[in-house]
Amino acid sequence: MFFPSVRMRRLRNCRAIRALVRETVLTPDDFVQPLFICPGKNVKQQIESMPGIFRMSVDLAVVECLKIRSAGIKSVILFGIPEKKDETGEVGCRDDGIIQQAIRSIKKEIPDIYIITDVCNCEYTIHGHCGPLVNGVVDNDKTIQLLGRQALSHAKAGVDMVAPSDMMDGRVGYIRNILDRDGYHDIPIMSYAVKYASSFYGPFREAAQSAPGIGDRKGYQMDYSNSREGIREAFLDIEEGADIIMVKPAMSYLDIVLKIKENSDVPVAAYNVSGEYSMVKAANEKGWIDGQKVMMEILTSIKRAGADIIISYHSVDAVSLLAKGWY
Ligand code: PBG
């Protein structure tokens, strides 16, 4: 049957019918809100390139988590900026480190907020690379040892889930072993398995003061021209014990999200990264787009592509629009 008996517009012609046939809707349960934790007390610094996002000291991060929780979001992912960075990222493994303190303080006040931590050295090294350098190159096997120690210290502090984000080979299996050996077999690993060497991370690197001093991350993060390699990465990490596979960034990589979703049976997360956030905010400030509408369209498209979990700086804003009956 064709036109005129078939008319696609019949199922679009009022709000109620559109709601009945809508295939994808966002819910508060989809979202994880990222937080940047910095040293000090009562510190709240606006990140210039990310309007509405702040670096916060632990005490204020606790207050922020209360707000996030009451907005209806159950989960946060933490990034740390230490007092002092070092050559290897060792400072990220300390039991009294910035993230370890944050985990303890947040859990004490709000035991039911689900805390995920980014496990990586780039926030902790002076040179901004994701691990110790040997002849100017990040040493894979030394790096994964540090990641194992960092993940274990987060586990001891009470984290709910760890998310290694550095793209070293073998780190998921290494971390899984270390956690299991110390009795933390119930802590899941969300692997940033398909992480591209992307210029969309620019604002994050301002936020975490983690831009590489020399060179770039192309020696470990993926080439954005590749897609089959992403499937390979995802499957290796699943074999090593990853519970959730993440694709990052999200918007320019929805084809990859869909492929991983269709080819695997693990939950898929997508990271709507800093540059994607900043572009929406900047164009909205200029009056060139409607920031709220564009935000909801982007987030819905990420879910439509197959993401079960969306990590986004927009999370709180999106969820408050949902509460008002967005669709
Ligand atoms: C690495 C890490 C990065 C992001 C999350 N984890 C930066 C990088 O790889 O350079 C980027 C997130 C974003 O841009 O929002 N610890």
mmCIF file of all heavy atoms in Angstrom, residues 34 36 50 79 118-123 128 130 163 165-166 192 195-196 198 200-205 208 210-212 217 220-221 248 271-276 313, ligand 1:
data_model
loop_
_atom_site.group_PDB
_atom_site.id
_atom_site.type_symbol
_atom_site.label_atom_id
_atom_site.label_comp_id
_atom_site.label_asym_id
_atom_site.label_seq_id
_atom_site.Cartn_x
_atom_site.Cartn_y
_atom_site.Cartn_z
ATOM 1 N N PRO A 34 28.995 14.168 35.721
ATOM 2 C CA PRO A 34 30.420 14.278 36.074
ATOM 3 C C PRO A 34 30.669 15.424 37.048
ATOM 4 O O PRO A 34 30.002 16.462 36.985
ATOM 5 C CB PRO A 34 31.106 14.600 34.727
ATOM 6 C CG PRO A 34 30.048 14.419 33.673
ATOM 7 C CD PRO A 34 28.732 14.635 34.354
ATOM 8 N N PHE A 36 34.036 17.616 39.019
ATOM 9 C CA PHE A 36 35.480 17.861 39.156
ATOM 10 C C PHE A 36 35.782 18.259 40.590
ATOM 11 O O PHE A 36 35.226 19.244 41.095
ATOM 12 C CB PHE A 36 35.917 18.993 38.215
ATOM 13 C CG PHE A 36 35.737 18.652 36.761
ATOM 14 C CD1 PHE A 36 34.656 19.132 36.036
ATOM 15 C CD2 PHE A 36 36.650 17.828 36.124
ATOM 16 C CE1 PHE A 36 34.494 18.803 34.699
ATOM 17 C CE2 PHE A 36 36.492 17.486 34.781
ATOM 18 C CZ PHE A 36 35.412 17.978 34.065
ATOM 19 N N MET A 50 33.192 25.884 30.147
ATOM 20 C CA MET A 50 32.022 25.034 30.381
ATOM 21 C C MET A 50 31.039 25.737 31.319
ATOM 22 O O MET A 50 30.944 25.403 32.501
ATOM 23 C CB MET A 50 32.451 23.686 31.004
ATOM 24 C CG MET A 50 33.431 22.910 30.149
ATOM 25 S SD MET A 50 33.983 21.387 30.945
ATOM 26 C CE MET A 50 32.512 20.376 30.779
ATOM 27 N N PHE A 79 36.148 13.181 38.873
ATOM 28 C CA PHE A 79 37.484 13.459 38.339
ATOM 29 C C PHE A 79 38.222 14.302 39.366
ATOM 30 O O PHE A 79 37.644 15.232 39.939
ATOM 31 C CB PHE A 79 37.378 14.240 37.021
ATOM 32 C CG PHE A 79 36.667 13.471 35.946
ATOM 33 C CD1 PHE A 79 35.298 13.608 35.762
ATOM 34 C CD2 PHE A 79 37.361 12.589 35.132
ATOM 35 C CE1 PHE A 79 34.631 12.876 34.792
ATOM 36 C CE2 PHE A 79 36.700 11.852 34.157
ATOM 37 C CZ PHE A 79 35.334 12.006 33.985
ATOM 38 N N ASP A 118 36.639 7.911 37.531
ATOM 39 C CA ASP A 118 37.514 7.821 36.376
ATOM 40 C C ASP A 118 38.867 7.363 36.911
ATOM 41 O O ASP A 118 39.403 7.958 37.842
ATOM 42 C CB ASP A 118 37.626 9.219 35.756
ATOM 43 C CG ASP A 118 38.410 9.243 34.459
ATOM 44 O OD1 ASP A 118 37.827 8.942 33.411
ATOM 45 O OD2 ASP A 118 39.608 9.581 34.496
ATOM 46 N N VAL A 119 39.382 6.273 36.339
ATOM 47 C CA VAL A 119 40.694 5.791 36.771
ATOM 48 C C VAL A 119 41.681 6.065 35.644
ATOM 49 O O VAL A 119 41.606 5.467 34.569
ATOM 50 C CB VAL A 119 40.627 4.282 37.112
ATOM 51 C CG1 VAL A 119 42.018 3.727 37.375
ATOM 52 C CG2 VAL A 119 39.730 4.064 38.324
ATOM 53 N N CYS A 120 42.551 7.041 35.872
ATOM 54 C CA CYS A 120 43.506 7.459 34.841
ATOM 55 C C CYS A 120 44.602 8.281 35.510
ATOM 56 O O CYS A 120 44.387 8.839 36.585
ATOM 57 C CB CYS A 120 42.802 8.302 33.785
ATOM 58 S SG CYS A 120 43.838 8.618 32.340
ATOM 59 N N ASN A 121 45.744 8.357 34.874
ATOM 60 C CA ASN A 121 46.849 9.133 35.456
ATOM 61 C C ASN A 121 46.961 10.553 34.922
ATOM 62 O O ASN A 121 47.700 11.356 35.474
ATOM 63 C CB ASN A 121 48.180 8.410 35.200
ATOM 64 C CG ASN A 121 48.250 7.082 35.933
ATOM 65 O OD1 ASN A 121 48.091 7.042 37.147
ATOM 66 N ND2 ASN A 121 48.444 6.008 35.200
ATOM 67 N N CYS A 122 46.234 10.875 33.848
ATOM 68 C CA CYS A 122 46.496 12.163 33.188
ATOM 69 C C CYS A 122 46.187 13.365 34.087
ATOM 70 O O CYS A 122 46.789 14.417 33.944
ATOM 71 C CB CYS A 122 45.783 12.282 31.852
ATOM 72 S SG CYS A 122 44.007 12.432 32.001
ATOM 73 N N GLU A 123 45.247 13.192 35.017
ATOM 74 C CA GLU A 123 44.968 14.305 35.936
ATOM 75 C C GLU A 123 46.076 14.453 36.986
ATOM 76 O O GLU A 123 46.139 15.446 37.686
ATOM 77 C CB GLU A 123 43.635 14.087 36.672
ATOM 78 C CG GLU A 123 42.405 14.167 35.792
ATOM 79 C CD GLU A 123 41.631 12.851 35.783
ATOM 80 O OE1 GLU A 123 40.845 12.607 36.703
ATOM 81 O OE2 GLU A 123 41.844 12.067 34.836
ATOM 82 N N GLY A 128 50.881 15.581 31.875
ATOM 83 C CA GLY A 128 49.519 15.451 31.364
ATOM 84 C C GLY A 128 49.270 14.203 30.534
ATOM 85 O O GLY A 128 48.158 13.998 30.043
ATOM 86 N N CYS A 130 48.908 9.971 30.114
ATOM 87 C CA CYS A 130 48.133 9.061 30.945
ATOM 88 C C CYS A 130 48.969 8.051 31.724
ATOM 89 O O CYS A 130 48.425 7.085 32.277
ATOM 90 C CB CYS A 130 47.081 8.351 30.097
ATOM 91 S SG CYS A 130 45.848 9.517 29.488
ATOM 92 N N ALA A 163 36.089 3.243 36.403
ATOM 93 C CA ALA A 163 36.019 3.424 34.950
ATOM 94 C C ALA A 163 37.393 3.823 34.411
ATOM 95 O O ALA A 163 37.738 5.012 34.382
ATOM 96 C CB ALA A 163 34.965 4.482 34.618
ATOM 97 N N SER A 165 40.097 4.960 31.929
ATOM 98 C CA SER A 165 39.841 5.798 30.750
ATOM 99 C C SER A 165 41.066 6.066 29.898
ATOM 100 O O SER A 165 41.037 6.936 29.036
ATOM 101 C CB SER A 165 39.250 7.142 31.199
ATOM 102 O OG SER A 165 40.211 7.892 31.889
ATOM 103 N N ASP A 166 42.144 5.314 30.107
ATOM 104 C CA ASP A 166 43.417 5.706 29.492
ATOM 105 C C ASP A 166 43.740 5.015 28.179
ATOM 106 O O ASP A 166 44.670 5.416 27.494
ATOM 107 C CB ASP A 166 44.526 5.340 30.475
ATOM 108 C CG ASP A 166 44.405 3.866 30.782
ATOM 109 O OD1 ASP A 166 43.436 3.470 31.447
ATOM 110 O OD2 ASP A 166 45.220 3.087 30.265
ATOM 111 N N TYR A 192 36.257 2.529 29.424
ATOM 112 C CA TYR A 192 36.289 3.445 28.288
ATOM 113 C C TYR A 192 37.013 2.646 27.193
ATOM 114 O O TYR A 192 38.192 2.834 26.939
ATOM 115 C CB TYR A 192 37.126 4.670 28.587
ATOM 116 C CG TYR A 192 36.627 5.729 29.542
ATOM 117 C CD1 TYR A 192 36.485 5.489 30.902
ATOM 118 C CD2 TYR A 192 36.372 7.034 29.084
ATOM 119 C CE1 TYR A 192 36.100 6.502 31.778
ATOM 120 C CE2 TYR A 192 35.993 8.050 29.961
ATOM 121 C CZ TYR A 192 35.855 7.770 31.299
ATOM 122 O OH TYR A 192 35.492 8.777 32.157
ATOM 123 N N LYS A 195 37.589 4.677 22.969
ATOM 124 C CA LYS A 195 37.831 6.098 23.236
ATOM 125 C C LYS A 195 38.745 6.642 22.152
ATOM 126 O O LYS A 195 39.850 6.147 21.946
ATOM 127 C CB LYS A 195 38.474 6.256 24.603
ATOM 128 C CG LYS A 195 38.830 7.698 24.927
ATOM 129 C CD LYS A 195 39.318 7.810 26.352
ATOM 130 C CE LYS A 195 39.718 9.219 26.692
ATOM 131 N NZ LYS A 195 40.227 9.316 28.062
ATOM 132 N N TYR A 196 38.228 7.655 21.493
ATOM 133 C CA TYR A 196 38.956 8.212 20.355
ATOM 134 C C TYR A 196 39.867 9.360 20.777
ATOM 135 O O TYR A 196 39.560 10.089 21.735
ATOM 136 C CB TYR A 196 37.946 8.700 19.308
ATOM 137 C CG TYR A 196 37.291 7.540 18.593
ATOM 138 C CD1 TYR A 196 36.134 6.948 19.093
ATOM 139 C CD2 TYR A 196 37.858 6.997 17.444
ATOM 140 C CE1 TYR A 196 35.549 5.854 18.460
ATOM 141 C CE2 TYR A 196 37.280 5.912 16.804
ATOM 142 C CZ TYR A 196 36.134 5.349 17.316
ATOM 143 O OH TYR A 196 35.555 4.262 16.693
ATOM 144 N N SER A 198 40.383 12.638 20.505
ATOM 145 C CA SER A 198 39.395 13.602 20.024
ATOM 146 C C SER A 198 39.706 15.019 20.479
ATOM 147 O O SER A 198 40.113 15.243 21.619
ATOM 148 C CB SER A 198 38.014 13.198 20.568
ATOM 149 O OG SER A 198 37.070 14.216 20.345
ATOM 150 N N PHE A 200 37.379 17.037 20.888
ATOM 151 C CA PHE A 200 36.219 17.413 21.705
ATOM 152 C C PHE A 200 36.525 17.393 23.209
ATOM 153 O O PHE A 200 35.679 17.742 24.009
ATOM 154 C CB PHE A 200 35.037 16.475 21.427
ATOM 155 C CG PHE A 200 34.330 16.729 20.122
ATOM 156 C CD1 PHE A 200 34.558 15.922 19.024
ATOM 157 C CD2 PHE A 200 33.430 17.781 19.988
ATOM 158 C CE1 PHE A 200 33.906 16.139 17.818
ATOM 159 C CE2 PHE A 200 32.767 18.008 18.793
ATOM 160 C CZ PHE A 200 33.010 17.190 17.701
ATOM 161 N N TYR A 201 37.724 16.918 23.607
ATOM 162 C CA TYR A 201 38.065 16.899 25.033
ATOM 163 C C TYR A 201 38.693 18.211 25.504
ATOM 164 O O TYR A 201 39.060 18.315 26.676
ATOM 165 C CB TYR A 201 39.066 15.766 25.365
ATOM 166 C CG TYR A 201 38.675 14.382 24.895
ATOM 167 C CD1 TYR A 201 39.650 13.458 24.523
ATOM 168 C CD2 TYR A 201 37.346 13.985 24.840
ATOM 169 C CE1 TYR A 201 39.321 12.180 24.088
ATOM 170 C CE2 TYR A 201 37.006 12.711 24.397
ATOM 171 C CZ TYR A 201 37.992 11.812 24.018
ATOM 172 O OH TYR A 201 37.665 10.554 23.591
ATOM 173 N N GLY A 202 38.840 19.175 24.609
ATOM 174 C CA GLY A 202 39.542 20.410 24.954
ATOM 175 C C GLY A 202 39.112 21.053 26.267
ATOM 176 O O GLY A 202 39.939 21.276 27.164
ATOM 177 N N PRO A 203 37.813 21.349 26.431
ATOM 178 C CA PRO A 203 37.388 22.019 27.673
ATOM 179 C C PRO A 203 37.646 21.183 28.928
ATOM 180 O O PRO A 203 37.984 21.723 29.974
ATOM 181 C CB PRO A 203 35.884 22.232 27.458
ATOM 182 C CG PRO A 203 35.713 22.220 25.972
ATOM 183 C CD PRO A 203 36.719 21.239 25.454
ATOM 184 N N PHE A 204 37.509 19.860 28.823
ATOM 185 C CA PHE A 204 37.802 18.986 29.980
ATOM 186 C C PHE A 204 39.239 19.186 30.429
ATOM 187 O O PHE A 204 39.539 19.212 31.619
ATOM 188 C CB PHE A 204 37.591 17.517 29.591
ATOM 189 C CG PHE A 204 38.017 16.525 30.654
ATOM 190 C CD1 PHE A 204 37.097 16.004 31.549
ATOM 191 C CD2 PHE A 204 39.347 16.112 30.764
ATOM 192 C CE1 PHE A 204 37.488 15.083 32.520
ATOM 193 C CE2 PHE A 204 39.745 15.197 31.732
ATOM 194 C CZ PHE A 204 38.811 14.684 32.615
ATOM 195 N N ARG A 205 40.130 19.313 29.461
ATOM 196 C CA ARG A 205 41.547 19.424 29.832
ATOM 197 C C ARG A 205 41.816 20.744 30.529
ATOM 198 O O ARG A 205 42.707 20.828 31.371
ATOM 199 C CB ARG A 205 42.425 19.206 28.594
ATOM 200 C CG ARG A 205 42.315 17.748 28.150
ATOM 201 C CD ARG A 205 43.083 17.445 26.898
ATOM 202 N NE ARG A 205 42.808 16.083 26.453
ATOM 203 C CZ ARG A 205 43.200 15.569 25.308
ATOM 204 N NH1 ARG A 205 43.903 16.309 24.466
ATOM 205 N NH2 ARG A 205 42.903 14.329 24.991
ATOM 206 N N ALA A 208 40.388 19.898 34.124
ATOM 207 C CA ALA A 208 41.214 18.994 34.935
ATOM 208 C C ALA A 208 42.688 19.372 34.867
ATOM 209 O O ALA A 208 43.523 18.670 35.421
ATOM 210 C CB ALA A 208 41.012 17.557 34.466
ATOM 211 N N SER A 210 44.748 18.991 32.516
ATOM 212 C CA SER A 210 45.390 17.729 32.128
ATOM 213 C C SER A 210 45.799 17.678 30.653
ATOM 214 O O SER A 210 45.976 16.597 30.113
ATOM 215 C CB SER A 210 44.441 16.564 32.425
ATOM 216 O OG SER A 210 43.289 16.660 31.611
ATOM 217 N N ALA A 211 45.923 18.852 30.011
ATOM 218 C CA ALA A 211 46.348 18.830 28.609
ATOM 219 C C ALA A 211 47.786 18.330 28.539
ATOM 220 O O ALA A 211 48.626 18.738 29.343
ATOM 221 C CB ALA A 211 46.239 20.229 28.006
ATOM 222 N N PRO A 212 48.099 17.418 27.602
ATOM 223 C CA PRO A 212 49.483 16.946 27.515
ATOM 224 C C PRO A 212 50.435 18.097 27.191
ATOM 225 O O PRO A 212 50.155 18.896 26.292
ATOM 226 C CB PRO A 212 49.453 15.911 26.385
ATOM 227 C CG PRO A 212 48.092 15.931 25.797
ATOM 228 C CD PRO A 212 47.209 16.821 26.617
ATOM 229 N N ARG A 217 47.657 12.405 22.347
ATOM 230 C CA ARG A 217 47.346 11.077 22.885
ATOM 231 C C ARG A 217 47.101 10.049 21.772
ATOM 232 O O ARG A 217 46.495 9.015 22.003
ATOM 233 C CB ARG A 217 46.110 11.172 23.773
ATOM 234 C CG ARG A 217 46.267 12.090 24.973
ATOM 235 C CD ARG A 217 45.272 11.689 26.060
ATOM 236 N NE ARG A 217 44.832 12.780 26.894
ATOM 237 C CZ ARG A 217 45.580 13.365 27.826
ATOM 238 N NH1 ARG A 217 46.824 13.014 28.012
ATOM 239 N NH2 ARG A 217 45.063 14.335 28.559
ATOM 240 N N TYR A 220 47.851 6.263 22.070
ATOM 241 C CA TYR A 220 47.051 5.300 22.844
ATOM 242 C C TYR A 220 45.543 5.413 22.592
ATOM 243 O O TYR A 220 44.840 4.419 22.619
ATOM 244 C CB TYR A 220 47.398 5.319 24.343
ATOM 245 C CG TYR A 220 47.744 6.659 24.967
ATOM 246 C CD1 TYR A 220 46.844 7.299 25.817
ATOM 247 C CD2 TYR A 220 48.976 7.261 24.755
ATOM 248 C CE1 TYR A 220 47.164 8.504 26.429
ATOM 249 C CE2 TYR A 220 49.297 8.475 25.357
ATOM 250 C CZ TYR A 220 48.384 9.094 26.183
ATOM 251 O OH TYR A 220 48.701 10.294 26.773
ATOM 252 N N GLN A 221 45.045 6.624 22.325
ATOM 253 C CA GLN A 221 43.617 6.717 22.015
ATOM 254 C C GLN A 221 43.402 6.426 20.523
ATOM 255 O O GLN A 221 44.320 6.540 19.716
ATOM 256 C CB GLN A 221 43.095 8.111 22.379
ATOM 257 C CG GLN A 221 43.245 8.388 23.877
ATOM 258 C CD GLN A 221 42.773 9.771 24.292
ATOM 259 O OE1 GLN A 221 42.506 10.623 23.455
ATOM 260 N NE2 GLN A 221 42.682 9.994 25.592
ATOM 261 N N LYS A 248 33.265 6.946 23.446
ATOM 262 C CA LYS A 248 33.541 8.340 23.779
ATOM 263 C C LYS A 248 34.371 8.986 22.679
ATOM 264 O O LYS A 248 35.357 8.386 22.254
ATOM 265 C CB LYS A 248 34.317 8.350 25.086
ATOM 266 C CG LYS A 248 34.739 9.708 25.548
ATOM 267 C CD LYS A 248 35.499 9.554 26.831
ATOM 268 C CE LYS A 248 36.163 10.884 27.112
ATOM 269 N NZ LYS A 248 37.147 10.807 28.119
ATOM 270 N N TYR A 271 29.685 8.760 26.348
ATOM 271 C CA TYR A 271 30.123 9.963 27.065
ATOM 272 C C TYR A 271 29.956 11.181 26.169
ATOM 273 O O TYR A 271 30.665 11.354 25.192
ATOM 274 C CB TYR A 271 31.588 9.806 27.484
ATOM 275 C CG TYR A 271 32.039 10.741 28.596
ATOM 276 C CD1 TYR A 271 32.856 10.281 29.615
ATOM 277 C CD2 TYR A 271 31.637 12.078 28.639
ATOM 278 C CE1 TYR A 271 33.275 11.123 30.647
ATOM 279 C CE2 TYR A 271 32.048 12.910 29.662
ATOM 280 C CZ TYR A 271 32.866 12.444 30.664
ATOM 281 O OH TYR A 271 33.281 13.271 31.671
ATOM 282 N N ASN A 272 28.962 11.987 26.523
ATOM 283 C CA ASN A 272 28.684 13.253 25.842
ATOM 284 C C ASN A 272 29.687 14.269 26.411
ATOM 285 O O ASN A 272 29.460 14.885 27.433
ATOM 286 C CB ASN A 272 27.222 13.619 26.180
ATOM 287 C CG ASN A 272 26.732 14.942 25.656
ATOM 288 O OD1 ASN A 272 25.994 15.647 26.351
ATOM 289 N ND2 ASN A 272 27.103 15.304 24.462
ATOM 290 N N VAL A 273 30.819 14.424 25.721
ATOM 291 C CA VAL A 273 32.003 15.037 26.340
ATOM 292 C C VAL A 273 31.969 16.562 26.395
ATOM 293 O O VAL A 273 31.064 17.201 25.852
ATOM 294 C CB VAL A 273 33.306 14.563 25.644
ATOM 295 C CG1 VAL A 273 33.456 13.058 25.737
ATOM 296 C CG2 VAL A 273 33.357 15.050 24.199
ATOM 297 N N SER A 274 33.009 17.101 27.005
ATOM 298 C CA SER A 274 33.064 18.527 27.304
ATOM 299 C C SER A 274 32.887 19.421 26.070
ATOM 300 O O SER A 274 32.122 20.384 26.107
ATOM 301 C CB SER A 274 34.388 18.852 27.998
ATOM 302 O OG SER A 274 35.490 18.437 27.207
ATOM 303 N N GLY A 275 33.567 19.105 24.977
ATOM 304 C CA GLY A 275 33.471 19.951 23.777
ATOM 305 C C GLY A 275 32.067 19.959 23.196
ATOM 306 O O GLY A 275 31.586 20.983 22.690
ATOM 307 N N GLU A 276 31.397 18.820 23.308
ATOM 308 C CA GLU A 276 30.013 18.733 22.822
ATOM 309 C C GLU A 276 29.114 19.626 23.681
ATOM 310 O O GLU A 276 28.199 20.287 23.170
ATOM 311 C CB GLU A 276 29.534 17.281 22.901
ATOM 312 C CG GLU A 276 30.379 16.313 22.086
ATOM 313 C CD GLU A 276 29.947 14.861 22.283
ATOM 314 O OE1 GLU A 276 30.139 14.299 23.369
ATOM 315 O OE2 GLU A 276 29.418 14.296 21.334
ATOM 316 N N TYR A 313 27.438 16.406 31.014
ATOM 317 C CA TYR A 313 27.429 17.617 31.849
ATOM 318 C C TYR A 313 26.054 18.258 31.866
ATOM 319 O O TYR A 313 25.777 19.122 32.690
ATOM 320 C CB TYR A 313 28.498 18.598 31.339
ATOM 321 C CG TYR A 313 29.864 17.959 31.321
ATOM 322 C CD1 TYR A 313 30.375 17.376 30.151
ATOM 323 C CD2 TYR A 313 30.614 17.848 32.483
ATOM 324 C CE1 TYR A 313 31.599 16.728 30.142
ATOM 325 C CE2 TYR A 313 31.844 17.195 32.489
ATOM 326 C CZ TYR A 313 32.329 16.639 31.313
ATOM 327 O OH TYR A 313 33.531 15.983 31.311
HETATM 328 C C1 PBG B 1 40.992 11.000 30.986
HETATM 329 C C2 PBG B 1 39.699 11.533 30.570
HETATM 330 C C3 PBG B 1 39.453 12.540 29.638
HETATM 331 C C4 PBG B 1 38.076 12.699 29.575
HETATM 332 C C5 PBG B 1 37.511 11.809 30.485
HETATM 333 N N1 PBG B 1 38.521 11.069 31.072
HETATM 334 C C6 PBG B 1 40.398 13.396 28.887
HETATM 335 C C7 PBG B 1 41.317 12.875 27.890
HETATM 336 O O1 PBG B 1 41.348 11.701 27.540
HETATM 337 O O2 PBG B 1 42.092 13.701 27.456
HETATM 338 C C8 PBG B 1 37.360 13.681 28.695
HETATM 339 C C9 PBG B 1 35.987 14.008 29.085
HETATM 340 C C10 PBG B 1 35.421 15.206 28.431
HETATM 341 O O3 PBG B 1 35.975 15.803 27.497
HETATM 342 O O4 PBG B 1 34.346 15.601 28.880
HETATM 343 N N2 PBG B 1 41.112 10.928 32.367
#
